[in-house]
Amino acid sequence: MSLKMTRQAERQIVTEEDPFIQRTEEIADDPFKPHSTYGSGVGYGIGINYIIGTGVFSLPYAFYSAGMGLSLVTLAISSIFSFFCVNWVLEVLARAEGIVRRREKEHLGEETQKSSPDHTIAWRKFDFTTLFDLFSGLKGKLFCQLVICIYCYGVCWAYGAVFASSVSSLFYQFVFKEHCDLYNDPSQGCTNAYYICVLIYALIVVPLACRDMEEQAVIQMIMTGYRFSAFGVMLLTVIVAFFHPNPFEAASGHSLVQWNGFSIVFTSVAVATNFHYNVPDVVKPIRNKSILNRIVSASLCTALLFYVLVGVICGIYFKKSVQPLVTLNWLNYTGIDGGWGGHVADRPWWAAAVQLWVMLFPVFDMISIYPLVGITLGNNILETLPESFKIKFFTRPRLLKIGTRLLATVPSLCFALGLGRLDSIFTFTGLFAFFLELIFPCILQLLSIRMCIRLWWSGAEKTPYSSIMSHPILAWITLVFGVCGMAFAVVTFILQLAGKPL
């Protein structure tokens, strides 16, 4: 054992009675502080990368299916509850730190009955599974881990399949001038191209997932810039097209409210705003912890702004021709007569560049989001491991971390080799988004408030991130909304499987 690790072992306390007590005794540096940190701007960018996943590409189709009026109302209501929940996650993280610090003082024999709670978000990170272990015990922790695993493995499976199918299709179109449809009797060459693309995707995203969040800050900020530019190109080309004759026809009898499309927009909005279980990973490396609520709120509001612009503008312009993956509408972009006139063979070079810039958006988006989801899932798996097992790797913590990250990222890519219907994968895994976005944050908020009152006194649950939104009544209302939304999504999914959609 090296001298450095020996000193670390000497100053760290891990008790079998309370696994949360892992503090150091009387040392100057914080053992939980990461090797590198980042500022609020990087935290804002990474938050956007977490939020804007593949859900944004289905919003124009969902908006048109449900009507712009009903869609905007649905997005507004869901966003309000989502905004509540993301701020409650910060409150829960602060209370968890205060409760663990109280336990540390009790472990050292210090007086805690009359001392005020020290609720703050420090360098120590609490994943959702850790929070449920702290506030509800082992059963809650295991159920939370099950939900996170199903959701993360499912979306990563879909990410890998979308990347490989998109890249192989573009490759065949631009290189061989042929059509590659992996879902309808594909050729052997098309299938082999898909397998090669899955392998290429694995070689990119798995090493990134094995790196900590702060270690890939530069890459994530580059992807944030690309997201902004791609959104800008999409919106600009469609806005220009509005000033020319529209080649797309509207469906007859279409109105601002289409109740037969409500189930589509409701589940699409829920998936598109789900990033709450990623918040602990985003906020840990941020240096200025006092403005965390502003950072995560700004990330969410920015994403919602893009959702409204893309959903409304693209939905209105493309009408009934809008694709479930809206970037496919740029497949026939020519730059002529507003953008979608003339023939593809006659388009100028810059129109082809615009087409690629937009159509590669989902590809690069999934390169960015896959490692982030892998980090979150890997960290939650790590926290679920028994303390006795983790102690065996005390001198080799990075080996254990890489092992859990591989366990989090590799299986989904193996599933992607079998392909599968992407719409079914997204719909099924989307059911669990309600747990992570609306149900779990409410439960943690209520349980953490109750524990603080029990350990201290009424009012001791307040944190630096508390506000008028922190009242338990709002948490109960949001919880009811989340449970009803989950039930509605389950019924809709079952009816779709039975061939009887709402």
Side-chain angles (χ1 to χ4, degrees):
M1 184 182 298
S2 65
L3 178 60
K4 179 180 179 181
M5 295 307 301
T6 301
R7 289 176 177 173
Q8 184 179 359
E10 288 175 350
R11 65 192 189 184
Q12 183 152 1
I13 302 173
V14 181
T15 65
E16 295 181 358
E17 294 80 6
D18 193 340
F20 292 99
I21 301 177
Q22 296 182 354
R23 294 283 293 177
T24 58
E25 288 185 332
E26 305 298 332
I27 61 174
D29 59 323
D30 191 330
F32 300 102
K33 186 174 182 179
H35 296 294
S36 59
T37 58
Y38 49 68
S40 56
V42 177
Y44 164 78
I46 292 178
I48 289 177
N49 291 351
Y50 262 122
I51 302 171
I52 301 178
T54 55
V56 64
F57 304 117
S58 64
L59 286 181
Y61 175 79
F63 273 40
Y64 186 77
S65 300
M68 295 301 159
L70 180 59
S71 298
L72 289 175
V73 171
T74 303
L75 179 62
I77 295 174
S78 181
S79 299
I80 291 173
F81 287 120
S82 181
F83 184 79
F84 289 162
C85 289
V86 75
N87 283 277
W88 291 339
V89 171
L90 295 177
E91 290 188 57
V92 172
L93 292 174
R95 294 189 190 107
E97 179 69 27
I99 292 171
V100 172
R101 288 186 178 186
R102 175 190 172 98
R103 292 187 179 185
E104 292 165 355
K105 292 180 180 179
E106 292 176 345
H107 179 74
L108 297 174
E110 298 180 12
E111 173 63 34
T112 59
Q113 293 298 325
K114 298 181 180 180
S115 59
S116 299
D118 187 13
H119 297 324
T120 185
I121 296 180
W123 297 114
R124 175 166 29 199
K125 183 169 70 69
F126 297 89
D127 296 295
F128 263 35
T129 51
T130 313
L131 292 171
F132 268 96
D133 191 17
L134 178 63
F135 294 117
S136 68
L138 180 61
K139 291 182 179 179
K141 173 183 178 180
L142 294 178
F143 180 71
C144 175
Q145 182 62 64
L146 177 63
V147 171
I148 290 178
C149 283
I150 294 175
Y151 180 80
C152 291
Y153 280 131
V155 295
C156 286
W157 177 1
Y159 292 159
V162 169
F163 174 92
S165 58
S166 300
V167 173
S168 58
S169 296
L170 286 173
F171 178 78
Y172 260 71
Q173 178 187 6
F174 282 91
V175 176
F176 297 113
K177 308 299 181 181
E178 296 179 7
H179 185 60
C180 176
D181 188 351
L182 288 157
Y183 296 99
N184 297 301
D185 193 23
S187 65
Q188 186 60 45
C190 181
T191 303
N192 292 338
Y194 173 83
Y195 292 149
I196 293 173
C197 289
V198 171
L199 178 60
I200 294 173
Y201 188 61
L203 294 176
I204 297 173
V205 298
V206 172
L208 285 176
C210 291
R211 305 177 67 182
D212 287 330
M213 186 75 67
E214 58 274 13
E215 294 175 334
Q216 51 179 297
V218 175
I219 297 175
Q220 292 299 330
M221 288 306 295
I222 292 174
M223 293 308 304
T224 302
Y226 174 72
R227 278 180 170 86
F228 285 150
S229 67
F231 275 131
V233 171
M234 292 172 65
L235 294 173
L236 180 61
T237 52
V238 175
I239 290 173
V240 169
F242 271 111
F243 295 94
H244 295 78
N246 192 330
F248 302 104
E249 297 180 1
S252 59
H254 196 77
S255 63
L256 292 176
V257 177
Q258 299 285 128
W259 286 108
N260 59 343
F262 176 68
S263 61
I264 299 175
V265 73
F266 185 71
T267 53
S268 297
V269 166
V271 173
T273 55
N274 178 34
F275 83 117
H276 302 65
Y277 72 107
N278 308 118
V279 169
D281 293 292
V282 176
V283 303
K284 178 184 177 180
I286 296 178
R287 287 187 288 271
N288 188 358
K289 298 289 196 295
S290 63
I291 59 172
L292 291 179
N293 51 349
R294 301 180 194 174
I295 295 173
V296 296
S297 298
S299 298
L300 181 59
C301 289
T302 302
L304 292 173
L305 175 61
F306 281 123
Y307 290 170
V308 171
L309 292 175
V310 173
V312 172
I313 293 176
C314 293
I316 291 176
Y317 181 75
F318 294 118
K319 300 182 173 64
K320 68 176 183 180
S321 298
V322 64
Q323 298 290 328
L325 188 67
V326 70
T327 53
L328 293 177
N329 283 104
W330 273 258
L331 184 64
N332 297 316
Y333 183 79
T334 63
I336 303 172
D337 294 335
W340 280 267
H343 299 283
V344 174
D346 300 327
R347 67 183 177 185
W349 65 268
W350 60 264
V354 167
Q355 179 199 40
L356 278 177
W357 195 255
V358 173
M359 294 192 66
L360 287 175
F361 189 2
V363 174
F364 286 110
D365 186 65
M366 277 168 277
I367 290 177
S368 171
I369 190 64
Y370 196 103
L372 298 181
V373 176
I375 289 173
T376 298
L377 178 57
N379 290 344
N380 278 274
I381 293 175
L382 179 61
E383 293 300 327
T384 308
L385 297 176
E387 291 296 325
S388 58
F389 181 81
K390 287 190 283 188
I391 291 176
K392 296 179 181 179
F393 290 87
F394 184 76
T395 58
R396 295 175 294 173
R398 185 164 182 82
L399 179 61
L400 181 60
K401 180 178 68 176
I402 291 177
T404 54
R405 299 281 176 85
L406 292 176
L407 183 60
T409 54
V410 174
S412 296
L413 295 172
C414 295
F415 298 153
L417 290 174
L419 199 58
R421 294 297 305 180
L422 294 178
D423 52 353
S424 300
I425 299 172
F426 272 122
T427 303
F428 176 72
T429 55
L431 300 177
F432 297 89
F434 289 94
F435 276 109
L436 300 175
E437 179 184 1
L438 298 174
I439 298 178
F440 283 172
C442 296
I443 294 175
L444 290 171
Q445 172 77 345
L446 295 170
L447 291 177
S448 63
I449 289 176
R450 186 176 67 178
M451 180 174 287
C452 287
I453 295 175
R454 178 170 57 84
L455 291 176
W456 286 283
W457 50 80
S458 179
E461 72 277 7
K462 295 186 181 299
T463 74
Y465 311 100
S466 298
S467 64
I468 193 173
M469 299 182 296
S470 306
H471 201 283
I473 292 180
L474 283 178
W476 280 110
I477 294 174
T478 307
L479 180 61
V480 171
F481 176 80
V483 172
C484 292
M486 174 72 179
F488 177 80
V490 170
V491 171
T492 301
F493 179 70
I494 293 175
L495 290 176
Q496 286 179 345
L497 292 179
K500 302 177 180 179
L502 291 177

